Amino acid sequence: RGIAPDSSLVAIRVCDDFGCPDNAIISGIDWCIANSAKYNISVITMSLGSFLPFKGYCDDESSESGFKLAIDTAVSKDISVIAATGNFGSTNGISSPACIKNATAIGSVSKSDEISPFSNRNSVTDLFAPGEDIISTVPNGFCFLCDSTGFLKLNGTSMATPHVTGAFALLRQFERLRENIILRPGQIQDVLNSTGKQIEDRFGS
């Protein structure tokens, strides 16, 4: 059923047969901001990222200025932005746009809470979630990740990221109904950081 089974989803296509261009991703974020009231968009989840890992926050990199502006704008409007760190096994670097400071960067752990060997991470990775052997929906056609059943067991930070996105949505909804308070993205992240299990990275920095 997933983490937040009663949530409504808005799918924004930013990838084509050749990849996911930065300008398309940024346009997707901007669309969510512009339509947040119409569709009640409170969380943006991105299971995608650059090949080049960044060792820290990448906000000052000229190549990332578009991501910084879009993500900072989303967060200023209380829209959380959750992004996968990438799957190259880097122990001291994460992909863009997860490296933007106002994004919530998500790495992967196994079901025994060990950091997945494929998971990128570094000192600015925010949270970890299960990303191994996750049953996910896939297309029914004849593509690399297609299956006639509509489901496959997959690995990756792309599997971990939606778990955190669902948790963000639930916490925001809970506090809105309980106290009529809209939690800010940083407040939700702080709750998960302070109440979640501490994960030791024995091989990373």
Side-chain angles (χ1 to χ4, degrees), residues 131-151:
E132 296 187 29
D133 295 328
I134 305 300
I135 297 175
S136 178
T137 54
V138 295
N140 298 101
F142 298 95
C143 63
F144 175 64
L145 289 178
C146 289
D147 191 90
S148 59
T149 66
F151 297 92

Side-chain angles (χ1 to χ4, degrees), residues 30 32-36 41-42 70-80 172 182-185:
D30 290 340
C32 289
I33 296 168
N35 291 276
S36 59
I41 297 172
S42 62
I71 291 171
D72 287 355
T73 302
V75 170
S76 74
K77 296 182 180 297
D78 295 331
I79 302 171
S80 301
R172 178 181 164 111
I182 300 298
L183 291 177
R184 306 208 66 190

Side-chain angles (χ1 to χ4, degrees), residues 7-11:
S7 296
S8 297
L9 303 179
V10 179

Side-chain angles (χ1 to χ4, degrees), residues 47 53 66 103 112 158 193 195:
S47 289
S112 59
S158 292
N193 278 132
T195 60

Side-chain angles (χ1 to χ4, degrees), residues 117-197:
F118 56 76
S119 179
N120 289 356
R121 69 269 195 192
N122 62 5
S123 60
V124 300
T125 302
D126 296 302
L127 295 163
F128 290 88
E132 296 187 29
D133 295 328
I134 305 300
I135 297 175
S136 178
T137 54
V138 295
N140 298 101
F142 298 95
C143 63
F144 175 64
L145 289 178
C146 289
D147 191 90
S148 59
T149 66
F151 297 92
L152 273 181
K153 190 177 287 187
L154 301 174
N155 300 322
T157 56
S158 292
M159 298 292 103
T161 301
H163 282 91
V164 176
T165 302
F168 266 66
L170 286 178
L171 284 170
R172 178 181 164 111
Q173 178 75 347
F174 174 79
E175 201 62 23
R176 187 182 71 81
L177 293 175
R178 187 174 72 112
E179 298 286 348
N180 198 28
I181 293 172
I182 300 298
L183 291 177
R184 306 208 66 190
Q187 292 176 307
I188 300 174
Q189 183 176 306
D190 287 344
V191 168
L192 292 175
N193 278 132
S194 62
T195 60
K197 181 176 181 178

